[in-house]
Coordinates of all heavy atoms in Angstrom, one line a residue:
M15 N -10.5 6.0 -0.2 CA -9.8 7.1 0.5 C -10.8 8.2 0.6 O -11.6 8.5 -0.3 CB -8.6 7.6 -0.4 CG -7.7 8.6 0.4 SD -6.3 9.1 -0.6 CE -5.4 7.6 -0.7
W16 N -10.9 8.8 1.8 CA -11.8 9.9 2.1 C -11.1 11.1 2.5 O -10.0 11.1 3.1 CB -12.8 9.5 3.2 CG -13.6 8.3 2.9 CD1 -14.9 8.4 2.3 CD2 -13.4 7.0 3.1 NE1 -15.4 7.1 2.2 CE2 -14.5 6.2 2.6 CE3 -12.3 6.3 3.7 CZ2 -14.5 4.8 2.7 CZ3 -12.3 4.9 3.7 CH2 -13.5 4.2 3.3
A17 N -11.7 12.3 2.4 CA -11.1 13.5 2.8 C -12.2 14.5 3.3 O -13.4 14.4 2.9 CB -10.4 14.2 1.7
V18 N -11.9 15.3 4.3 CA -12.7 16.3 4.8 C -11.9 17.6 4.8 O -10.7 17.6 4.9 CB -13.3 16.1 6.2 CG1 -14.3 14.9 6.2 CG2 -12.3 15.9 7.2
R19 N -12.6 18.7 4.7 CA -11.9 20.0 4.7 C -12.6 20.8 5.8 O -13.8 20.8 6.0 CB -12.1 20.7 3.4 CG -11.5 22.1 3.3 CD -11.7 22.8 2.0 NE -11.3 22.0 0.9 CZ -10.0 21.9 0.4 NH1 -9.1 22.7 1.0 NH2 -9.7 21.2 -0.6
K20 N -11.7 21.5 6.6 CA -12.2 22.4 7.6 C -11.1 23.5 7.9 O -10.0 23.2 7.7 CB -12.6 21.6 8.9 CG -11.5 20.9 9.5 CD -12.0 20.1 10.7 CE -11.0 19.1 11.3 NZ -11.5 18.4 12.4
P21 N -11.6 24.6 8.4 CA -10.6 25.6 8.8 C -9.8 25.2 10.1 O -10.4 24.5 10.9 CB -11.4 26.9 9.1 CG -12.8 26.4 9.2 CD -12.9 25.1 8.6
F22 N -8.6 25.6 10.1 CA -7.8 25.3 11.3 C -8.1 26.3 12.4 O -8.2 27.5 12.1 CB -6.3 25.3 10.9 CG -5.4 25.0 12.1 CD1 -5.2 23.7 12.5 CD2 -4.7 26.1 12.7 CE1 -4.4 23.5 13.6 CE2 -3.9 25.8 13.8 CZ -3.7 24.5 14.3
S23 N -8.3 25.8 13.6 CA -8.6 26.6 14.8 C -8.2 25.9 16.0 O -7.9 24.7 16.0 CB -10.0 27.0 14.8 OG -10.8 25.9 15.1
P24 N -8.1 26.5 17.2 CA -7.8 25.8 18.4 C -8.7 24.7 18.7 O -8.3 23.7 19.4 CB -7.9 26.9 19.5 CG -7.7 28.2 18.7 CD -8.3 28.0 17.4
N25 N -9.9 24.7 18.3 CA -10.9 23.6 18.6 C -11.2 22.8 17.3 O -12.2 22.0 17.4 CB -12.1 24.1 19.3 CG -12.9 25.0 18.4 OD1 -12.5 25.5 17.4 ND2 -14.2 25.2 18.7
S26 N -10.5 22.8 16.3 CA -10.8 22.1 15.0 C -10.9 20.6 15.2 O -11.5 20.0 14.4 CB -9.9 22.6 13.9 OG -8.6 22.2 14.2
F27 N -10.2 20.1 16.2 CA -10.2 18.6 16.4 C -11.6 18.1 16.8 O -11.9 17.0 16.5 CB -9.2 18.2 17.5 CG -9.5 18.6 18.8 CD1 -10.3 17.8 19.7 CD2 -9.2 19.9 19.3 CE1 -10.7 18.2 20.9 CE2 -9.5 20.3 20.6 CZ -10.3 19.5 21.4
S28 N -12.4 19.0 17.3 CA -13.7 18.5 17.8 C -14.8 18.9 16.8 O -16.0 18.5 17.0 CB -14.0 19.2 19.1 OG -14.1 20.6 19.0
V29 N -14.5 19.5 15.7 CA -15.5 20.0 14.7 C -15.4 19.1 13.5 O -14.3 18.9 12.9 CB -15.2 21.4 14.3 CG1 -16.2 21.9 13.3 CG2 -15.2 22.3 15.5
P30 N -16.5 18.5 13.0 CA -16.4 17.7 11.8 C -16.2 18.5 10.6 O -16.6 19.7 10.5 CB -17.8 17.0 11.7 CG -18.7 17.8 12.6 CD -17.8 18.5 13.6
G31 N -15.4 18.0 9.7 CA -15.2 18.7 8.4 C -16.2 18.5 7.4 O -17.2 17.7 7.6
R32 N -16.1 19.1 6.3 CA -17.0 18.9 5.2 C -16.4 18.0 4.2 O -15.2 18.1 3.8 CB -17.2 20.3 4.6 CG -17.7 20.4 3.2 CD -17.8 21.9 2.8 NE -16.6 22.6 2.6 CZ -15.9 22.6 1.5 NH1 -16.2 21.8 0.5 NH2 -14.8 23.3 1.4
P33 N -17.1 16.9 3.8 CA -16.5 15.9 2.9 C -16.2 16.6 1.5 O -16.9 17.4 1.0 CB -17.7 14.9 2.7 CG -18.6 15.1 3.8 CD -18.5 16.5 4.2
V34 N -15.0 16.2 1.0 CA -14.5 16.7 -0.3 C -13.8 15.6 -1.0 O -13.4 14.6 -0.4 CB -13.5 17.9 -0.1 CG1 -14.2 19.1 0.5 CG2 -12.3 17.5 0.7
A35 N -13.7 15.7 -2.3 CA -12.9 14.8 -3.1 C -11.5 14.8 -2.7 O -11.0 15.9 -2.4 CB -13.1 15.1 -4.6
V36 N -10.8 13.7 -2.7 CA -9.4 13.7 -2.4 C -8.6 14.2 -3.6 O -8.7 13.7 -4.7 CB -8.9 12.2 -2.0 CG1 -7.4 12.2 -1.7 CG2 -9.7 11.7 -0.9
D37 N -7.8 15.2 -3.4 CA -6.9 15.8 -4.4 C -5.9 14.7 -4.8 O -5.3 14.0 -3.9 CB -6.2 17.0 -3.8 CG -5.2 17.6 -4.8 OD1 -5.6 18.4 -5.6 OD2 -4.0 17.3 -4.7
P38 N -5.6 14.6 -6.1 CA -4.6 13.5 -6.5 C -3.3 13.7 -5.8 O -2.6 12.7 -5.5 CB -4.6 13.7 -8.0 CG -5.8 14.4 -8.4 CD -6.2 15.2 -7.2
T39 N -2.8 14.9 -5.6 CA -1.5 15.1 -5.0 C -1.5 14.6 -3.5 O -0.6 14.0 -3.1 CB -1.1 16.6 -5.1 OG1 -1.0 17.0 -6.5 CG2 0.3 16.8 -4.5
V40 N -2.6 15.0 -2.9 CA -2.8 14.5 -1.5 C -2.9 13.0 -1.4 O -2.3 12.4 -0.5 CB -4.0 15.2 -0.8 CG1 -4.3 14.6 0.6 CG2 -3.8 16.7 -0.7
A41 N -3.6 12.4 -2.3 CA -3.7 10.9 -2.4 C -2.3 10.3 -2.5 O -2.0 9.3 -1.9 CB -4.6 10.5 -3.5
T42 N -1.5 10.9 -3.4 CA -0.2 10.3 -3.6 C 0.7 10.4 -2.3 O 1.3 9.5 -1.9 CB 0.5 11.1 -4.8 OG1 -0.2 10.8 -6.0 CG2 2.0 10.6 -4.9
V43 N 0.6 11.6 -1.7 CA 1.3 11.8 -0.4 C 0.8 10.8 0.6 O 1.6 10.2 1.3 CB 1.2 13.3 0.0 CG1 1.8 13.4 1.4 CG2 1.9 14.2 -0.9
A44 N -0.5 10.6 0.7 CA -1.0 9.7 1.7 C -0.6 8.3 1.5 O -0.2 7.6 2.4 CB -2.6 9.8 1.7
R45 N -0.5 7.9 0.2 CA -0.1 6.5 -0.1 C 1.4 6.4 0.3 O 1.8 5.3 0.8 CB -0.3 6.2 -1.5 CG -1.7 5.9 -1.8 CD -1.9 5.5 -3.3 NE -3.3 5.4 -3.6 CZ -4.0 6.3 -4.2 NH1 -3.5 7.4 -4.6 NH2 -5.3 6.2 -4.4
Q46 N 2.2 7.4 0.1 CA 3.6 7.4 0.4 C 3.8 7.3 1.9 O 4.6 6.5 2.4 CB 4.4 8.6 -0.1 CG 4.5 8.6 -1.6 CD 5.0 10.0 -2.1 OE1 4.9 11.0 -1.5 NE2 5.5 9.9 -3.4
V47 N 3.0 8.0 2.7 CA 3.0 7.9 4.1 C 2.7 6.5 4.6 O 3.4 5.9 5.4 CB 2.0 8.9 4.8 CG1 1.8 8.6 6.3 CG2 2.5 10.3 4.6
G48 N 1.7 5.9 4.0 CA 1.3 4.5 4.3 C 2.4 3.5 4.1 O 2.7 2.6 4.9
R49 N 3.1 3.7 3.0 CA 4.3 2.8 2.7 C 5.4 3.0 3.7 O 6.0 2.0 4.2 CB 4.8 3.0 1.3 CG 3.9 2.3 0.2 CD 4.5 2.3 -1.1 NE 4.6 3.7 -1.7 CZ 3.6 4.3 -2.4 NH1 2.5 3.7 -2.5 NH2 3.8 5.5 -2.9
V50 N 5.7 4.2 4.1 CA 6.7 4.5 5.0 C 6.4 3.9 6.4 O 7.3 3.3 7.0 CB 7.0 6.0 5.1 CG1 7.9 6.3 6.2 CG2 7.6 6.5 3.8
I51 N 5.2 4.1 6.9 CA 4.9 3.7 8.2 C 4.4 2.3 8.3 O 4.2 1.7 9.4 CB 3.8 4.6 8.9 CG1 2.5 4.6 8.2 CG2 4.4 6.1 9.0 CD1 1.4 5.4 8.9
G52 N 4.1 1.6 7.1 CA 3.7 0.2 7.1 C 2.3 0.0 7.6 O 2.0 -1.1 8.1
L53 N 1.4 0.9 7.4 CA 0.0 0.7 7.8 C -0.9 0.8 6.6 O -0.6 1.5 5.7 CB -0.4 1.8 8.9 CG 0.3 1.7 10.2 CD1 -0.1 2.9 11.1 CD2 0.0 0.4 10.9
S54 N -2.0 0.2 6.7 CA -3.0 0.3 5.7 C -4.2 1.0 6.1 O -5.0 1.4 5.3 CB -3.4 -1.1 5.1 OG -4.0 -1.9 6.2
V55 N -4.4 1.2 7.4 CA -5.5 2.1 7.9 C -4.8 3.1 8.8 O -4.1 2.8 9.8 CB -6.5 1.3 8.8 CG1 -7.5 2.2 9.4 CG2 -7.2 0.2 7.9
F56 N -5.0 4.4 8.4 CA -4.3 5.5 9.2 C -5.0 6.8 8.7 O -5.7 6.8 7.7 CB -2.8 5.5 8.9 CG -2.4 5.7 7.5 CD1 -2.2 6.9 7.0 CD2 -2.4 4.6 6.7 CE1 -1.8 7.1 5.7 CE2 -2.0 4.8 5.3 CZ -1.7 6.0 4.8
G57 N -4.7 7.8 9.3 CA -5.1 9.1 8.9 C -4.0 10.1 8.8 O -3.0 9.9 9.5
V58 N -4.1 11.0 7.9 CA -3.1 12.1 7.8 C -3.8 13.4 7.9 O -4.9 13.6 7.4 CB -2.2 12.0 6.5 CG1 -1.3 10.8 6.5 CG2 -3.1 12.0 5.3
D59 N -3.2 14.3 8.6 CA -3.7 15.7 8.7 C -2.8 16.5 7.8 O -1.5 16.4 7.9 CB -3.6 16.3 10.1 CG -4.6 15.5 11.0 OD1 -5.6 14.9 10.5 OD2 -4.4 15.6 12.2
V60 N -3.4 17.2 6.9 CA -2.6 17.9 5.9 C -3.0 19.4 5.9 O -4.2 19.8 6.0 CB -3.0 17.4 4.4 CG1 -2.3 18.2 3.3 CG2 -2.6 15.9 4.4
I61 N -2.0 20.2 5.8 CA -2.2 21.7 5.6 C -1.8 22.0 4.2 O -0.8 21.6 3.7 CB -1.4 22.5 6.6 CG1 -1.9 22.3 8.0 CG2 -1.5 24.0 6.3 CD1 -1.2 23.0 9.1
E62 N -2.7 22.8 3.5 CA -2.4 23.2 2.2 C -1.6 24.4 2.2 O -1.9 25.4 2.9 CB -3.7 23.5 1.4 CG -4.6 22.2 1.3 CD -6.0 22.5 0.7 OE1 -6.6 23.4 1.2 OE2 -6.3 21.8 -0.2
S63 N -0.4 24.4 1.6 CA 0.5 25.5 1.6 C 0.7 26.0 0.1 O 0.3 25.3 -0.8 CB 1.8 25.1 2.2 OG 2.6 24.3 1.3
R64 N 1.3 27.1 -0.1 CA 1.6 27.6 -1.4 C 2.4 26.6 -2.2 O 2.4 26.6 -3.4 CB 2.2 29.0 -1.4 CG 1.2 30.0 -0.9 CD 1.8 31.4 -1.1 NE 0.8 32.3 -0.7 CZ 1.0 33.3 0.1 NH1 2.1 33.5 0.7 NH2 0.0 34.2 0.4
S65 N 3.3 25.8 -1.5 CA 4.2 24.9 -2.2 C 3.6 23.5 -2.3 O 4.3 22.6 -2.7 CB 5.5 24.9 -1.5 OG 5.4 24.5 -0.2
G66 N 2.3 23.3 -1.9 CA 1.7 22.0 -1.9 C 1.3 21.5 -0.6 O 1.5 22.2 0.5
P67 N 0.7 20.3 -0.5 CA 0.2 19.8 0.8 C 1.4 19.4 1.7 O 2.4 18.9 1.3 CB -0.5 18.5 0.4 CG 0.0 18.1 -1.0 CD 0.5 19.4 -1.6
V68 N 1.2 19.7 3.0 CA 2.2 19.4 4.0 C 1.5 18.5 5.1 O 0.5 18.9 5.7 CB 2.7 20.6 4.7 CG1 3.7 20.3 5.8 CG2 3.4 21.6 3.6
V69 N 2.1 17.3 5.3 CA 1.5 16.4 6.3 C 2.0 16.9 7.7 O 3.2 17.1 7.9 CB 2.0 15.0 6.1 CG1 1.5 14.1 7.3 CG2 1.4 14.4 4.8
V70 N 1.1 17.2 8.6 CA 1.5 17.7 9.9 C 1.2 16.7 11.0 O 1.6 16.9 12.2 CB 0.8 19.0 10.2 CG1 1.3 20.1 9.3 CG2 -0.7 18.9 10.2
D71 N 0.5 15.6 10.7 CA 0.2 14.6 11.7 C -0.2 13.3 11.0 O -0.9 13.3 10.0 CB -1.0 15.1 12.6 CG -1.2 14.2 13.9 OD1 -0.2 13.5 14.3 OD2 -2.3 14.3 14.5
V72 N 0.2 12.2 11.6 CA -0.2 10.9 11.2 C -0.9 10.1 12.3 O -0.3 10.1 13.4 CB 1.0 10.1 10.6 CG1 0.5 8.7 10.2 CG2 1.6 10.8 9.5
N73 N -2.0 9.6 12.1 CA -2.8 8.9 13.2 C -2.9 7.4 12.8 O -3.3 7.0 11.8 CB -4.2 9.5 13.3 CG -4.2 11.0 13.5 OD1 -3.8 11.5 14.5 ND2 -4.5 11.7 12.4
Y74 N -2.5 6.6 13.8 CA -2.5 5.1 13.5 C -3.9 4.6 13.4 O -4.1 3.5 12.8 CB -1.7 4.3 14.6 CG -2.2 4.4 15.9 CD1 -3.2 3.5 16.4 CD2 -1.8 5.4 16.8 CE1 -3.7 3.5 17.6 CE2 -2.4 5.4 18.1 CZ -3.3 4.5 18.5 OH -3.8 4.6 19.8
F75 N -4.9 5.2 13.9 CA -6.3 4.9 13.6 C -7.1 6.1 13.6 O -7.3 6.8 14.6 CB -6.8 3.9 14.6 CG -8.1 3.2 14.1 CD1 -8.0 2.1 13.3 CD2 -9.3 3.8 14.3 CE1 -9.1 1.5 12.7 CE2 -10.5 3.2 13.8 CZ -10.4 2.1 13.0
P76 N -7.5 6.5 12.4 CA -8.3 7.8 12.3 C -9.7 7.7 12.8 O -10.3 6.7 12.9 CB -8.2 8.1 10.8 CG -8.2 6.7 10.2 CD -7.4 5.9 11.1
G77 N -10.2 8.9 13.2 CA -11.6 9.0 13.5 C -12.2 9.5 12.2 O -12.0 10.6 11.8
F78 N -13.0 8.8 11.5 CA -13.5 9.2 10.2 C -14.7 10.2 10.3 O -15.6 10.2 9.6 CB -14.0 8.0 9.4 CG -12.9 7.1 9.0 CD1 -12.5 6.0 9.8 CD2 -12.2 7.3 7.9 CE1 -11.5 5.2 9.5 CE2 -11.1 6.4 7.5 CZ -10.8 5.4 8.3
K79 N -14.6 11.1 11.3 CA -15.6 12.2 11.5 C -15.8 13.0 10.2 O -14.8 13.6 9.7 CB -15.2 13.1 12.7 CG -16.3 14.0 13.1 CD -15.8 15.0 14.2 CE -15.4 14.2 15.4 NZ -15.0 15.0 16.5
G80 N -17.0 13.0 9.8 CA -17.3 13.8 8.6 C -17.2 13.1 7.3 O -17.6 13.6 6.2
C81 N -16.7 11.8 7.3 CA -16.6 11.0 6.1 C -17.8 10.1 6.0 O -18.1 9.4 6.9 CB -15.3 10.2 6.2 SG -13.8 11.2 6.2
A82 N -18.4 10.1 4.8 CA -19.6 9.2 4.6 C -19.2 7.9 3.9 O -18.2 7.9 3.2 CB -20.6 10.0 3.7
G83 N -19.9 6.8 4.3 CA -19.7 5.6 3.6 C -18.4 4.8 4.0 O -17.9 4.0 3.2
V84 N -17.9 5.1 5.2 CA -16.7 4.5 5.7 C -16.9 3.1 6.3 O -16.1 2.2 6.1 CB -16.0 5.4 6.7 CG1 -14.8 4.7 7.3 CG2 -15.6 6.7 6.1
A85 N -18.0 2.9 7.0 CA -18.2 1.7 7.8 C -18.0 0.4 7.0 O -17.3 -0.5 7.4 CB -19.5 1.7 8.5
G86 N -18.7 0.3 5.9 CA -18.7 -1.0 5.2 C -17.3 -1.3 4.6 O -16.7 -2.4 4.9
P87 N -16.6 -0.4 3.9 CA -15.3 -0.7 3.4 C -14.3 -0.9 4.5 O -13.4 -1.8 4.3 CB -15.0 0.6 2.5 CG -16.3 1.1 2.1 CD -17.2 0.8 3.3
L88 N -14.4 -0.2 5.6 CA -13.4 -0.3 6.7 C -13.6 -1.7 7.3 O -12.6 -2.4 7.6 CB -13.6 0.8 7.7 CG -12.6 0.7 8.9 CD1 -11.2 0.8 8.4 CD2 -12.9 1.9 9.8
A89 N -14.9 -2.1 7.5 CA -15.1 -3.4 8.1 C -14.6 -4.5 7.2 O -14.0 -5.5 7.7 CB -16.6 -3.6 8.4
H90 N -14.8 -4.4 5.9 CA -14.4 -5.4 4.9 C -12.8 -5.5 5.0 O -12.3 -6.6 5.0 CB -14.8 -5.0 3.5 CG -14.4 -5.9 2.5 ND1 -13.1 -6.2 2.1 CD2 -15.2 -6.8 1.7 CE1 -13.1 -7.1 1.1 NE2 -14.3 -7.5 0.9
H91 N -12.2 -4.4 5.0 CA -10.7 -4.4 5.1 C -10.2 -5.0 6.4 O -9.3 -5.9 6.3 CB -10.2 -2.9 5.0 CG -8.7 -2.8 5.2 ND1 -7.8 -3.1 4.1 CD2 -7.9 -2.5 6.2 CE1 -6.6 -3.0 4.5 NE2 -6.6 -2.6 5.8
I92 N -10.8 -4.7 7.5 CA -10.4 -5.3 8.8 C -10.6 -6.8 8.8 O -9.8 -7.6 9.2 CB -11.1 -4.6 10.0 CG1 -10.6 -3.2 10.1 CG2 -10.9 -5.4 11.3 CD1 -11.4 -2.3 11.1
H93 N -11.7 -7.2 8.3 CA -12.0 -8.6 8.2 C -11.0 -9.4 7.3 O -10.5 -10.4 7.6 CB -13.5 -8.9 7.7 CG -13.8 -10.3 7.6 ND1 -13.7 -11.0 6.4 CD2 -14.3 -11.1 8.6 CE1 -14.1 -12.3 6.7 NE2 -14.5 -12.4 8.0
A94 N -10.7 -8.7 6.2 CA -9.7 -9.4 5.3 C -8.4 -9.5 5.9 O -7.7 -10.5 5.8 CB -9.6 -8.5 4.0
V95 N -7.9 -8.5 6.7 CA -6.6 -8.6 7.4 C -6.7 -9.6 8.4 O -5.8 -10.5 8.6 CB -6.3 -7.2 7.9 CG1 -5.0 -7.3 8.9 CG2 -6.0 -6.2 6.8
A96 N -7.8 -9.6 9.2 CA -7.9 -10.6 10.3 C -8.0 -12.0 9.9 O -7.5 -12.9 10.6 CB -9.2 -10.2 11.1
T97 N -8.5 -12.3 8.7 CA -8.6 -13.6 8.2 C -7.5 -14.0 7.2 O -7.5 -15.1 6.6 CB -10.0 -13.8 7.5 OG1 -10.1 -12.9 6.4 CG2 -11.1 -13.7 8.4
G98 N -6.4 -13.1 7.2 CA -5.3 -13.5 6.4 C -5.4 -13.3 4.9 O -4.6 -13.8 4.1
R99 N -6.4 -12.7 4.4 CA -6.6 -12.5 3.0 C -5.9 -11.3 2.5 O -5.8 -11.0 1.3 CB -8.1 -12.4 2.6 CG -8.8 -13.7 2.7 CD -10.2 -13.7 2.3 NE -11.0 -13.7 3.5 CZ -12.2 -13.3 3.5 NH1 -12.8 -12.7 2.5 NH2 -12.9 -13.4 4.6
R100 N -5.3 -10.5 3.3 CA -4.5 -9.4 2.9 C -3.2 -9.3 3.8 O -3.3 -9.3 5.0 CB -5.3 -8.1 3.1 CG -4.5 -6.9 2.6 CD -5.3 -5.6 2.9 NE -4.4 -4.5 2.7 CZ -4.6 -3.6 1.8 NH1 -5.6 -3.6 1.1 NH2 -3.7 -2.6 1.7
A101 N -2.1 -9.4 3.2 CA -0.8 -9.4 4.0 C -0.6 -8.0 4.6 O -0.9 -7.0 3.9 CB 0.3 -9.8 3.1
E102 N 0.0 -7.9 5.7 CA 0.3 -6.7 6.4 C 1.8 -6.6 6.6 O 2.4 -7.6 7.0 CB -0.4 -6.6 7.7 CG -1.9 -6.3 7.6 CD -2.2 -4.9 7.0 OE1 -1.5 -4.0 7.2 OE2 -3.2 -4.9 6.2
P103 N 2.4 -5.5 6.6 CA 1.9 -4.3 6.0 C 1.9 -4.4 4.5 O 2.7 -5.1 3.9 CB 2.9 -3.2 6.5 CG 4.2 -3.9 6.7 CD 3.8 -5.3 7.1
G104 N 1.1 -3.7 3.9 CA 1.0 -3.8 2.4 C 0.7 -2.4 1.8 O 0.7 -1.4 2.5
P105 N 0.5 -2.4 0.5 CA 0.2 -1.1 -0.1 C -1.1 -0.5 0.5 O -2.0 -1.2 0.8 CB 0.1 -1.4 -1.6 CG -0.2 -2.9 -1.6 CD 0.4 -3.5 -0.4
V106 N -1.1 0.8 0.5 CA -2.3 1.5 1.0 C -3.4 1.3 0.1 O -3.4 1.5 -1.1 CB -1.9 3.0 1.2 CG1 -3.2 3.7 1.7 CG2 -0.8 3.2 2.1
S107 N -4.5 0.9 0.7 CA -5.8 0.8 -0.1 C -6.5 2.1 -0.2 O -6.4 3.0 0.6 CB -6.7 -0.2 0.7 OG -8.0 -0.1 0.2
D108 N -7.2 2.3 -1.3 CA -7.9 3.5 -1.5 C -9.1 3.6 -0.5 O -9.7 4.7 -0.4 CB -8.5 3.5 -2.9 CG -7.5 4.0 -3.9 OD1 -6.4 4.4 -3.5 OD2 -7.8 3.9 -5.1
V109 N -9.4 2.6 0.2 CA -10.5 2.7 1.2 C -9.9 2.7 2.6 O -10.7 2.5 3.6 CB -11.5 1.6 1.1 CG1 -12.1 1.6 -0.3 CG2 -10.9 0.2 1.3
S110 N -8.7 3.0 2.8 CA -8.1 2.9 4.1 C -7.5 4.2 4.7 O -6.8 4.2 5.7 CB -7.0 1.8 4.1 OG -7.6 0.6 3.7
V111 N -7.7 5.3 4.0 CA -7.0 6.5 4.5 C -8.0 7.6 4.6 O -8.9 7.8 3.8 CB -6.0 7.0 3.4 CG1 -5.3 8.3 3.9 CG2 -4.9 5.9 3.2
A112 N -8.0 8.3 5.8 CA -8.8 9.5 6.0 C -7.8 10.7 6.0 O -6.8 10.6 6.6 CB -9.6 9.4 7.3
T113 N -8.1 11.7 5.2 CA -7.3 12.9 5.1 C -8.0 14.1 5.6 O -9.1 14.3 5.1 CB -6.8 13.0 3.7 OG1 -6.2 11.9 3.2 CG2 -5.8 14.2 3.6
G114 N -7.5 14.8 6.5 CA -8.1 16.1 6.9 C -7.3 17.2 6.3 O -6.1 17.3 6.5
L115 N -8.0 18.0 5.5 CA -7.4 19.2 4.9 C -7.7 20.4 5.7 O -8.9 20.6 6.0 CB -7.9 19.3 3.5 CG -7.6 18.2 2.5 CD1 -8.2 18.5 1.2 CD2 -6.1 18.1 2.3
A116 N -6.7 21.2 6.1 CA -7.0 22.4 6.8 C -6.4 23.6 6.1 O -5.4 23.4 5.4 CB -6.4 22.3 8.2
T117 N -7.1 24.7 6.2 CA -6.5 25.9 5.7 C -6.4 26.9 6.8 O -7.2 26.9 7.7 CB -7.4 26.5 4.6 OG1 -8.7 26.6 5.1 CG2 -7.4 25.7 3.3
A118 N -5.3 27.6 6.9 CA -5.0 28.5 8.0 C -6.0 29.6 7.9 O -6.4 30.1 6.8 CB -3.6 29.0 7.9
R119 N -6.5 30.1 9.0 CA -7.5 31.2 9.0 C -6.8 32.5 8.7 O -5.7 32.8 8.9 CB -8.0 31.4 10.4 CG -9.1 30.4 10.8 CD -9.4 30.6 12.2 NE -10.8 30.4 12.4 CZ -11.5 30.9 13.4 NH1 -10.9 31.6 14.3 NH2 -12.7 30.6 13.5

């Protein structure tokens, strides 16, 4: 699982974020999203609020912009799914979620 942090702005979709460790609460929320939508590769956009993380968008295939080390694990996961070594939909893998954390300006 990967995460990037960036400030929210009108053009934040085009700006790469800064890689950060995935907060355990955000990781739990991301895994719950994966179970609900039945995907193992997806992205969630999260806004940090005073009451905790809030998912504001779910992407069926994330652009891992700003995340390092994604290509190998993602290719391995896709190959495993394509060759039937991993049933779909299944539990969310720790290498299958990109999370964008934004803070309001």
Side-chain angles (χ1 to χ4, degrees):
M15 189 178 296
W16 296 271
V18 296
R19 180 181 303 275
K20 60 184 172 180
F22 180 76
S23 69
N25 67 340
S26 60
F27 69 92
S28 64
V29 178
R32 158 179 72 83
V34 295
V36 180
D37 176 85
T39 303
V40 172
T42 298
V43 170
R45 287 186 185 98
Q46 290 170 341
V47 168
R49 282 190 291 277
V50 168
I51 64 175
L53 294 175
S54 62
V55 176
F56 61 94
V58 292
D59 295 339
V60 176
I61 293 180
E62 297 172 310
S63 73
R64 289 190 175 129
S65 59
V68 177
V69 174
V70 295
D71 191 20
V72 178
N73 306 287
Y74 65 89
F75 196 87
F78 291 93
K79 188 184 297 183
C81 298
V84 175
L88 182 59
H90 182 291
H91 177 78
I92 291 170
H93 183 263
V95 171
T97 58
R99 285 186 256 158
R100 181 184 169 120
E102 286 297 324
V106 178
S107 165
D108 280 353
V109 297
S110 302
V111 180
T113 305
L115 299 174
T117 52
R119 283 174 141 201

